[in-house]
Amino acid sequence: MSERTVRDGTPASPGIVIGPARVLAWERPKVPHQTLEPDELNSEIERFREALEATRLRILEIQAETAERLGRVEAQIFEPQLMMLQDSDLVGDVESYITENRISAARALELRVLEFQSQFRQTGHPMVLDRLNDLLDVETRLVRKLLGVGDPDGVLHGIERPVVIVARDLTPSITVQLEPDRVLGLATDAGTRTSHSAILARALGIPAVVGLGDLSTQVESGDEVVLDGRAGRVILHPTDQERRVYRERDIQVREWEQELVLLAHLDPVTPDRQPVQLRANIDMPGEAATARELGAQGIGLFRTEFLVVGRRVLPEEEYQYQAYREAAEAFPHHAVVIRSFDLGGDKFPLFLNMPAEENPMLGWRAIRLCLDMPELFRTHVRAMLRATVHGDVRIMLPLISDVREIRQARKILEEEEDRLNEDGIAFNPGYKLGVMIETPAAALMAAELTRYADFFSIGSNDLTQYTLAVDRNNARLASRFTPFHPAVVELLQRTARAGRHAGIEVSVCGEMAGNPLGVYLLLGLGITAFSVAPSALPEIKKVVRSIPAGDARAHVEKALEASDSASITAILTEGISQWLDLSLFSGRWNLSPQE
Ligand code: PEP
Ligand code: MG
């Protein structure tokens, strides 16, 4: 029998369950190496095309079933897979690999997918990494078809009693076929919170924890497990005491979730009547409507680069304008902050042919790239300006480190405003232009920058990364990446003070604003505008409505005296725990360096 083990992974779908494990051992089958004769090449390509078509039909079938079972939006999850099956970069190259290297279709596909995977991984960007999950799905189906070993759906046969599925990884098309009355929970070694499998698990209401390392090799079918999808923990062979604790926690969490739903329509105001602006961060215009339903008061960060990442040509002005307009129209009475392209660094559109850089995060990115590429920037600027007629649409510049960058950007904006006037195209000349404070240089010069900006939004992710010289995407350094470091806190304080003196809004749109301790600290520094991922809105509203701003100020004063991040975290944790039970929050609520 395997040993008692406690494993922490990434919480992917909330809910607490206790039950027997069922290990799903499925793999993409091994592809034998095989050299083809020249006269076999055409028929091999033909076989590949047949496999593509059969896979396409099967995915369409699963997509239709998903639409019926979960809804149209969830069914869209299979679109990237359908696109991959037609992507000339994938499909076309597999065909040329077959002819040029005289290898089987399965082998050629395997090689091409390996290249894709390494390209995806190089970007390091979570959204691109999530696509690995879709790629695995398509590849598994195609390879199995080519090797004649039957489709992967068979792994689900024989699940008769409620089990917790433990697997190396799960694909979206397998996940969507799971029956919630027979699958209590999911625990996978690989995976991300935002992969399509995780999204489907949430849609099905199946609790899930992903990124559990090698857990699947430690578990045997039938072993008892506790799975806490809110905290991201799995316990193999729990003790009686643990079973009791988790049953109780389950009841508490359910009550908490019911309470959060009711908050969507209440104002974000602290118990001592400090009003707060609570906005949402979005990547795609369609998310604006979801954010509104969850109670957002506008969009605090529209990451526009996702409209262009992965594209072969720069999207034209009209396409961009329609996207910005959609977001603006979801919030006719609230601010919608559109950030100009934050390209480079970890986000590369294909059309830029970005040169490889030794230090891309310190390289040609964001405002630097836009100012150097007038054609790209001017098209983008015109689209954003045109959207300003649809409400309180504001424009925000990322990665500012020098006032010259704001001056140059403003000059381009003014020139494009003149051109729009000449062309008789409407925009709102009173729109606000703000800057992100996400470099130490900008934070140190915050007082000076208030002369050039109508508002500040602190990008705490980059501000932390650049202040501490800790790569935000490096898992090995994760414990060192904390906004509660005294140096970061000092820069936050400096920025807040500069904004207050100048009478301009200072908000925070980095991850810190989606974290209870972060909100406590920021409120204590006098910052009262936050922008968070839509899913974090209910919990952050709960935080705001639970902690008096006066109490946050008193604790933050103490925290400002501390000389290391562990002490600051401890002071904040002690303070906030008077008002909230932190264990009820989802995810990594505590960014303490010890975690
Ligand atoms: C940040 O840096 O905190 C931020 C909000 O911008 P992004 O995460 O898109 O870099
Ligand atoms: Mg940033």
Side-chain angles (χ1 to χ4, degrees), residues 85-122:
L85 288 170
Q86 290 173 341
D87 183 349
S88 57
D89 248 5
L90 181 67
V91 175
D93 284 3
V94 169
E95 295 191 3
S96 35
Y97 284 18
I98 297 173
T99 30
E100 284 159 22
N101 303 299
R102 288 174 41 199
I103 50 177
S104 69
R107 184 84 179 129
L109 177 70
E110 188 177 57
L111 291 177
R112 189 67 192 112
V113 166
L114 276 175
E115 288 168 352
F116 256 68
Q117 283 169 339
S118 99
Q119 271 172 20
F120 283 13
R121 290 209 174 92
Q122 251 169 28

mmCIF file of all heavy atoms in Angstrom, residues 85-122:
data_model
loop_
_atom_site.group_PDB
_atom_site.id
_atom_site.type_symbol
_atom_site.label_atom_id
_atom_site.label_comp_id
_atom_site.label_asym_id
_atom_site.label_seq_id
_atom_site.Cartn_x
_atom_site.Cartn_y
_atom_site.Cartn_z
ATOM 1 N N LEU A 85 -6.307 21.748 -36.260
ATOM 2 C CA LEU A 85 -6.405 20.711 -37.294
ATOM 3 C C LEU A 85 -6.326 21.295 -38.706
ATOM 4 O O LEU A 85 -6.116 20.561 -39.669
ATOM 5 C CB LEU A 85 -7.724 19.938 -37.139
ATOM 6 C CG LEU A 85 -7.796 19.006 -35.935
ATOM 7 C CD1 LEU A 85 -9.210 18.486 -35.745
ATOM 8 C CD2 LEU A 85 -6.831 17.839 -36.098
ATOM 9 N N GLN A 86 -6.513 22.628 -38.791
ATOM 10 C CA GLN A 86 -6.431 23.262 -40.118
ATOM 11 C C GLN A 86 -5.224 24.168 -40.236
ATOM 12 O O GLN A 86 -5.010 24.789 -41.269
ATOM 13 C CB GLN A 86 -7.686 24.125 -40.339
ATOM 14 C CG GLN A 86 -8.919 23.285 -40.519
ATOM 15 C CD GLN A 86 -10.161 24.155 -40.574
ATOM 16 O OE1 GLN A 86 -10.143 25.295 -40.136
ATOM 17 N NE2 GLN A 86 -11.233 23.612 -41.110
ATOM 18 N N ASP A 87 -4.465 24.273 -39.160
ATOM 19 C CA ASP A 87 -3.344 25.203 -39.143
ATOM 20 C C ASP A 87 -2.253 24.719 -40.095
ATOM 21 O O ASP A 87 -1.691 23.640 -39.920
ATOM 22 C CB ASP A 87 -2.814 25.264 -37.693
ATOM 23 C CG ASP A 87 -1.688 26.264 -37.550
ATOM 24 O OD1 ASP A 87 -1.185 26.752 -38.577
ATOM 25 O OD2 ASP A 87 -1.317 26.555 -36.405
ATOM 26 N N SER A 88 -1.952 25.562 -41.090
ATOM 27 C CA SER A 88 -0.981 25.101 -42.093
ATOM 28 C C SER A 88 0.392 24.908 -41.448
ATOM 29 O O SER A 88 1.187 24.088 -41.890
ATOM 30 C CB SER A 88 -0.910 26.085 -43.260
ATOM 31 O OG SER A 88 -0.585 27.345 -42.751
ATOM 32 N N ASP A 89 0.664 25.650 -40.391
ATOM 33 C CA ASP A 89 1.945 25.490 -39.703
ATOM 34 C C ASP A 89 2.093 24.095 -39.112
ATOM 35 O O ASP A 89 3.176 23.538 -39.046
ATOM 36 C CB ASP A 89 1.977 26.475 -38.519
ATOM 37 C CG ASP A 89 2.986 27.551 -38.761
ATOM 38 O OD1 ASP A 89 3.561 27.579 -39.850
ATOM 39 O OD2 ASP A 89 3.180 28.368 -37.835
ATOM 40 N N LEU A 90 0.981 23.543 -38.651
ATOM 41 C CA LEU A 90 1.027 22.208 -38.055
ATOM 42 C C LEU A 90 0.823 21.150 -39.136
ATOM 43 O O LEU A 90 1.695 20.331 -39.404
ATOM 44 C CB LEU A 90 -0.063 22.107 -36.975
ATOM 45 C CG LEU A 90 -0.161 20.801 -36.214
ATOM 46 C CD1 LEU A 90 1.062 20.590 -35.346
ATOM 47 C CD2 LEU A 90 -1.396 20.806 -35.290
ATOM 48 N N VAL A 91 -0.319 21.248 -39.805
ATOM 49 C CA VAL A 91 -0.704 20.219 -40.764
ATOM 50 C C VAL A 91 0.219 20.220 -41.988
ATOM 51 O O VAL A 91 0.737 19.174 -42.395
ATOM 52 C CB VAL A 91 -2.166 20.478 -41.215
ATOM 53 C CG1 VAL A 91 -2.569 19.508 -42.293
ATOM 54 C CG2 VAL A 91 -3.096 20.393 -40.022
ATOM 55 N N GLY A 92 0.458 21.417 -42.537
ATOM 56 C CA GLY A 92 1.283 21.518 -43.747
ATOM 57 C C GLY A 92 2.689 21.014 -43.476
ATOM 58 O O GLY A 92 3.265 20.254 -44.265
ATOM 59 N N ASP A 93 3.234 21.378 -42.319
ATOM 60 C CA ASP A 93 4.597 20.956 -42.020
ATOM 61 C C ASP A 93 4.686 19.452 -41.777
ATOM 62 O O ASP A 93 5.692 18.831 -42.108
ATOM 63 C CB ASP A 93 5.150 21.726 -40.813
ATOM 64 C CG ASP A 93 5.537 23.140 -41.217
ATOM 65 O OD1 ASP A 93 5.315 23.491 -42.399
ATOM 66 O OD2 ASP A 93 6.037 23.884 -40.368
ATOM 67 N N VAL A 94 3.633 18.863 -41.214
ATOM 68 C CA VAL A 94 3.657 17.405 -41.024
ATOM 69 C C VAL A 94 3.768 16.744 -42.395
ATOM 70 O O VAL A 94 4.572 15.828 -42.605
ATOM 71 C CB VAL A 94 2.389 16.912 -40.283
ATOM 72 C CG1 VAL A 94 2.295 15.393 -40.320
ATOM 73 C CG2 VAL A 94 2.380 17.414 -38.852
ATOM 74 N N GLU A 95 3.003 17.265 -43.347
ATOM 75 C CA GLU A 95 3.048 16.653 -44.687
ATOM 76 C C GLU A 95 4.440 16.806 -45.299
ATOM 77 O O GLU A 95 4.962 15.868 -45.894
ATOM 78 C CB GLU A 95 1.954 17.277 -45.572
ATOM 79 C CG GLU A 95 0.568 16.935 -45.034
ATOM 80 C CD GLU A 95 -0.570 17.290 -45.970
ATOM 81 O OE1 GLU A 95 -0.297 17.770 -47.091
ATOM 82 O OE2 GLU A 95 -1.732 17.051 -45.582
ATOM 83 N N SER A 96 5.051 17.981 -45.132
ATOM 84 C CA SER A 96 6.392 18.083 -45.727
ATOM 85 C C SER A 96 7.416 17.239 -44.962
ATOM 86 O O SER A 96 8.343 16.704 -45.563
ATOM 87 C CB SER A 96 6.866 19.525 -45.910
ATOM 88 O OG SER A 96 6.412 20.327 -44.906
ATOM 89 N N TYR A 97 7.233 17.067 -43.654
ATOM 90 C CA TYR A 97 8.159 16.196 -42.908
ATOM 91 C C TYR A 97 8.061 14.756 -43.429
ATOM 92 O O TYR A 97 9.051 14.041 -43.488
ATOM 93 C CB TYR A 97 7.836 16.204 -41.412
ATOM 94 C CG TYR A 97 8.277 17.450 -40.667
ATOM 95 C CD1 TYR A 97 8.588 18.617 -41.347
ATOM 96 C CD2 TYR A 97 8.383 17.453 -39.286
ATOM 97 C CE1 TYR A 97 8.972 19.764 -40.672
ATOM 98 C CE2 TYR A 97 8.767 18.595 -38.592
ATOM 99 C CZ TYR A 97 9.055 19.750 -39.299
ATOM 100 O OH TYR A 97 9.421 20.879 -38.608
ATOM 101 N N ILE A 98 6.818 14.345 -43.776
ATOM 102 C CA ILE A 98 6.637 12.962 -44.282
ATOM 103 C C ILE A 98 7.456 12.797 -45.565
ATOM 104 O O ILE A 98 8.252 11.862 -45.695
ATOM 105 C CB ILE A 98 5.142 12.655 -44.554
ATOM 106 C CG1 ILE A 98 4.331 12.732 -43.257
ATOM 107 C CG2 ILE A 98 4.982 11.284 -45.228
ATOM 108 C CD1 ILE A 98 2.812 12.608 -43.441
ATOM 109 N N THR A 99 7.272 13.745 -46.498
ATOM 110 C CA THR A 99 7.961 13.570 -47.791
ATOM 111 C C THR A 99 9.464 13.814 -47.693
ATOM 112 O O THR A 99 10.256 13.056 -48.234
ATOM 113 C CB THR A 99 7.371 14.517 -48.866
ATOM 114 O OG1 THR A 99 6.894 15.682 -48.234
ATOM 115 C CG2 THR A 99 6.259 13.890 -49.636
ATOM 116 N N GLU A 100 9.830 14.869 -46.939
ATOM 117 C CA GLU A 100 11.262 15.193 -46.908
ATOM 118 C C GLU A 100 12.078 14.178 -46.122
ATOM 119 O O GLU A 100 13.219 13.884 -46.468
ATOM 120 C CB GLU A 100 11.467 16.585 -46.288
ATOM 121 C CG GLU A 100 11.115 17.696 -47.260
ATOM 122 C CD GLU A 100 10.825 19.012 -46.546
ATOM 123 O OE1 GLU A 100 11.273 19.190 -45.399
ATOM 124 O OE2 GLU A 100 10.122 19.834 -47.163
ATOM 125 N N ASN A 101 11.495 13.635 -45.058
ATOM 126 C CA ASN A 101 12.276 12.712 -44.203
ATOM 127 C C ASN A 101 11.870 11.254 -44.369
ATOM 128 O O ASN A 101 12.426 10.385 -43.713
ATOM 129 C CB ASN A 101 12.115 13.120 -42.735
ATOM 130 C CG ASN A 101 12.541 14.555 -42.503
ATOM 131 O OD1 ASN A 101 13.688 14.888 -42.735
ATOM 132 N ND2 ASN A 101 11.618 15.398 -42.106
ATOM 133 N N ARG A 102 10.882 11.028 -45.211
ATOM 134 C CA ARG A 102 10.365 9.661 -45.466
ATOM 135 C C ARG A 102 10.021 8.955 -44.148
ATOM 136 O O ARG A 102 10.457 7.831 -43.901
ATOM 137 C CB ARG A 102 11.370 8.872 -46.294
ATOM 138 C CG ARG A 102 11.401 9.380 -47.729
ATOM 139 C CD ARG A 102 12.463 8.759 -48.584
ATOM 140 N NE ARG A 102 12.625 7.343 -48.385
ATOM 141 C CZ ARG A 102 13.709 6.662 -48.750
ATOM 142 N NH1 ARG A 102 14.698 7.306 -49.355
ATOM 143 N NH2 ARG A 102 13.786 5.368 -48.541
ATOM 144 N N ILE A 103 9.276 9.666 -43.320
ATOM 145 C CA ILE A 103 8.856 9.063 -42.046
ATOM 146 C C ILE A 103 7.338 8.949 -42.015
ATOM 147 O O ILE A 103 6.644 9.582 -42.806
ATOM 148 C CB ILE A 103 9.339 9.899 -40.820
ATOM 149 C CG1 ILE A 103 8.974 11.375 -41.007
ATOM 150 C CG2 ILE A 103 10.822 9.733 -40.601
ATOM 151 C CD1 ILE A 103 9.343 12.258 -39.831
ATOM 152 N N SER A 104 6.850 8.137 -41.069
ATOM 153 C CA SER A 104 5.401 7.926 -40.997
ATOM 154 C C SER A 104 4.700 9.206 -40.534
ATOM 155 O O SER A 104 5.321 10.078 -39.909
ATOM 156 C CB SER A 104 5.089 6.804 -40.003
ATOM 157 O OG SER A 104 5.388 7.249 -38.702
ATOM 158 N N ALA A 105 3.408 9.280 -40.801
ATOM 159 C CA ALA A 105 2.632 10.457 -40.423
ATOM 160 C C ALA A 105 2.651 10.637 -38.902
ATOM 161 O O ALA A 105 2.785 11.756 -38.396
ATOM 162 C CB ALA A 105 1.189 10.309 -40.913
ATOM 163 N N ALA A 106 2.540 9.518 -38.171
ATOM 164 C CA ALA A 106 2.506 9.616 -36.710
ATOM 165 C C ALA A 106 3.820 10.202 -36.190
ATOM 166 O O ALA A 106 3.845 11.049 -35.288
ATOM 167 C CB ALA A 106 2.264 8.239 -36.099
ATOM 168 N N ARG A 107 4.927 9.757 -36.793
ATOM 169 C CA ARG A 107 6.244 10.235 -36.358
ATOM 170 C C ARG A 107 6.429 11.721 -36.727
ATOM 171 O O ARG A 107 6.941 12.512 -35.936
ATOM 172 C CB ARG A 107 7.318 9.378 -37.044
ATOM 173 C CG ARG A 107 8.705 9.695 -36.635
ATOM 174 C CD ARG A 107 9.076 8.961 -35.359
ATOM 175 N NE ARG A 107 10.449 9.271 -35.014
ATOM 176 C CZ ARG A 107 10.819 9.695 -33.821
ATOM 177 N NH1 ARG A 107 9.938 9.818 -32.868
ATOM 178 N NH2 ARG A 107 12.074 9.961 -33.572
ATOM 179 N N ALA A 108 6.000 12.052 -37.940
ATOM 180 C CA ALA A 108 6.128 13.447 -38.396
ATOM 181 C C ALA A 108 5.306 14.367 -37.484
ATOM 182 O O ALA A 108 5.750 15.445 -37.098
ATOM 183 C CB ALA A 108 5.654 13.575 -39.842
ATOM 184 N N LEU A 109 4.115 13.894 -37.109
ATOM 185 C CA LEU A 109 3.255 14.694 -36.231
ATOM 186 C C LEU A 109 3.927 14.861 -34.869
ATOM 187 O O LEU A 109 3.961 15.952 -34.301
ATOM 188 C CB LEU A 109 1.896 13.998 -36.068
ATOM 189 C CG LEU A 109 0.931 14.689 -35.119
ATOM 190 C CD1 LEU A 109 0.429 15.998 -35.703
ATOM 191 C CD2 LEU A 109 -0.267 13.790 -34.798
ATOM 192 N N GLU A 110 4.484 13.754 -34.376
ATOM 193 C CA GLU A 110 5.135 13.801 -33.074
ATOM 194 C C GLU A 110 6.258 14.850 -33.074
ATOM 195 O O GLU A 110 6.366 15.670 -32.159
ATOM 196 C CB GLU A 110 5.708 12.419 -32.770
ATOM 197 C CG GLU A 110 6.233 12.262 -31.382
ATOM 198 C CD GLU A 110 6.721 10.844 -31.134
ATOM 199 O OE1 GLU A 110 7.603 10.371 -31.887
ATOM 200 O OE2 GLU A 110 6.202 10.198 -30.229
ATOM 201 N N LEU A 111 7.060 14.847 -34.154
ATOM 202 C CA LEU A 111 8.168 15.805 -34.226
ATOM 203 C C LEU A 111 7.660 17.237 -34.291
ATOM 204 O O LEU A 111 8.159 18.120 -33.606
ATOM 205 C CB LEU A 111 9.026 15.529 -35.477
ATOM 206 C CG LEU A 111 9.835 14.247 -35.442
ATOM 207 C CD1 LEU A 111 10.572 14.051 -36.767
ATOM 208 C CD2 LEU A 111 10.837 14.310 -34.287
ATOM 209 N N ARG A 112 6.644 17.452 -35.126
ATOM 210 C CA ARG A 112 6.128 18.808 -35.287
ATOM 211 C C ARG A 112 5.512 19.314 -33.978
ATOM 212 O O ARG A 112 5.681 20.483 -33.607
ATOM 213 C CB ARG A 112 5.087 18.837 -36.423
ATOM 214 C CG ARG A 112 4.658 20.227 -36.812
ATOM 215 C CD ARG A 112 5.801 21.019 -37.458
ATOM 216 N NE ARG A 112 5.498 22.434 -37.590
ATOM 217 C CZ ARG A 112 6.110 23.410 -36.910
ATOM 218 N NH1 ARG A 112 7.070 23.141 -36.060
ATOM 219 N NH2 ARG A 112 5.781 24.671 -37.087
ATOM 220 N N VAL A 113 4.810 18.395 -33.277
ATOM 221 C CA VAL A 113 4.192 18.805 -32.010
ATOM 222 C C VAL A 113 5.274 19.146 -30.981
ATOM 223 O O VAL A 113 5.143 20.113 -30.230
ATOM 224 C CB VAL A 113 3.226 17.716 -31.492
ATOM 225 C CG1 VAL A 113 2.839 17.968 -30.039
ATOM 226 C CG2 VAL A 113 1.965 17.678 -32.357
ATOM 227 N N LEU A 114 6.362 18.378 -30.988
ATOM 228 C CA LEU A 114 7.462 18.686 -30.055
ATOM 229 C C LEU A 114 7.995 20.090 -30.310
ATOM 230 O O LEU A 114 8.266 20.846 -29.381
ATOM 231 C CB LEU A 114 8.609 17.678 -30.237
ATOM 232 C CG LEU A 114 8.463 16.366 -29.495
ATOM 233 C CD1 LEU A 114 9.601 15.420 -29.867
ATOM 234 C CD2 LEU A 114 8.461 16.610 -27.987
ATOM 235 N N GLU A 115 8.115 20.442 -31.597
ATOM 236 C CA GLU A 115 8.599 21.792 -31.930
ATOM 237 C C GLU A 115 7.611 22.856 -31.439
ATOM 238 O O GLU A 115 7.993 23.871 -30.880
ATOM 239 C CB GLU A 115 8.795 21.933 -33.444
ATOM 240 C CG GLU A 115 9.993 21.163 -33.943
ATOM 241 C CD GLU A 115 10.018 21.065 -35.471
ATOM 242 O OE1 GLU A 115 9.022 21.469 -36.125
ATOM 243 O OE2 GLU A 115 11.006 20.572 -35.990
ATOM 244 N N PHE A 116 6.325 22.590 -31.664
ATOM 245 C CA PHE A 116 5.286 23.527 -31.206
ATOM 246 C C PHE A 116 5.368 23.698 -29.689
ATOM 247 O O PHE A 116 5.336 24.800 -29.180
ATOM 248 C CB PHE A 116 3.892 22.954 -31.538
ATOM 249 C CG PHE A 116 3.249 23.619 -32.719
ATOM 250 C CD1 PHE A 116 3.771 23.440 -33.991
ATOM 251 C CD2 PHE A 116 2.115 24.401 -32.565
ATOM 252 C CE1 PHE A 116 3.166 24.037 -35.090
ATOM 253 C CE2 PHE A 116 1.509 25.002 -33.659
ATOM 254 C CZ PHE A 116 2.032 24.813 -34.921
ATOM 255 N N GLN A 117 5.487 22.548 -29.000
ATOM 256 C CA GLN A 117 5.510 22.602 -27.534
ATOM 257 C C GLN A 117 6.677 23.449 -27.055
ATOM 258 O O GLN A 117 6.536 24.264 -26.154
ATOM 259 C CB GLN A 117 5.635 21.196 -26.953
ATOM 260 C CG GLN A 117 4.345 20.436 -26.984
ATOM 261 C CD GLN A 117 4.550 18.966 -26.646
ATOM 262 O OE1 GLN A 117 5.659 18.450 -26.766
ATOM 263 N NE2 GLN A 117 3.485 18.295 -26.259
ATOM 264 N N SER A 118 7.835 23.264 -27.704
ATOM 265 C CA SER A 118 8.977 24.018 -27.204
ATOM 266 C C SER A 118 8.804 25.514 -27.514
ATOM 267 O O SER A 118 9.187 26.351 -26.719
ATOM 268 C CB SER A 118 10.294 23.420 -27.694
ATOM 269 O OG SER A 118 10.771 24.122 -28.781
ATOM 270 N N GLN A 119 8.176 25.831 -28.659
ATOM 271 C CA GLN A 119 7.900 27.256 -28.945
ATOM 272 C C GLN A 119 6.953 27.840 -27.899
ATOM 273 O O GLN A 119 7.157 28.919 -27.380
ATOM 274 C CB GLN A 119 7.194 27.396 -30.295
ATOM 275 C CG GLN A 119 8.121 27.529 -31.478
ATOM 276 C CD GLN A 119 7.315 27.454 -32.789
ATOM 277 O OE1 GLN A 119 6.115 27.673 -32.811
ATOM 278 N NE2 GLN A 119 7.989 27.125 -33.871
ATOM 279 N N PHE A 120 5.884 27.063 -27.596
ATOM 280 C CA PHE A 120 4.896 27.528 -26.611
ATOM 281 C C PHE A 120 5.580 27.765 -25.261
ATOM 282 O O PHE A 120 5.350 28.754 -24.595
ATOM 283 C CB PHE A 120 3.779 26.487 -26.406
ATOM 284 C CG PHE A 120 2.742 26.456 -27.514
ATOM 285 C CD1 PHE A 120 2.954 27.091 -28.716
ATOM 286 C CD2 PHE A 120 1.550 25.769 -27.329
ATOM 287 C CE1 PHE A 120 2.005 27.045 -29.732
ATOM 288 C CE2 PHE A 120 0.588 25.711 -28.330
ATOM 289 C CZ PHE A 120 0.823 26.348 -29.540
ATOM 290 N N ARG A 121 6.430 26.783 -24.873
ATOM 291 C CA ARG A 121 7.057 26.876 -23.545
ATOM 292 C C ARG A 121 7.996 28.063 -23.475
ATOM 293 O O ARG A 121 8.129 28.700 -22.444
ATOM 294 C CB ARG A 121 7.812 25.591 -23.205
ATOM 295 C CG ARG A 121 6.875 24.445 -22.946
ATOM 296 C CD ARG A 121 7.421 23.406 -21.988
ATOM 297 N NE ARG A 121 6.391 22.436 -21.703
ATOM 298 C CZ ARG A 121 6.223 21.304 -22.378
ATOM 299 N NH1 ARG A 121 7.063 20.993 -23.359
ATOM 300 N NH2 ARG A 121 5.240 20.490 -22.073
ATOM 301 N N GLN A 122 8.667 28.348 -24.620
ATOM 302 C CA GLN A 122 9.630 29.457 -24.623
ATOM 303 C C GLN A 122 8.961 30.780 -24.287
ATOM 304 O O GLN A 122 9.545 31.625 -23.630
ATOM 305 C CB GLN A 122 10.256 29.590 -25.998
ATOM 306 C CG GLN A 122 11.704 29.158 -26.011
ATOM 307 C CD GLN A 122 12.195 29.055 -27.426
ATOM 308 O OE1 GLN A 122 11.709 29.738 -28.321
ATOM 309 N NE2 GLN A 122 13.148 28.190 -27.636
#
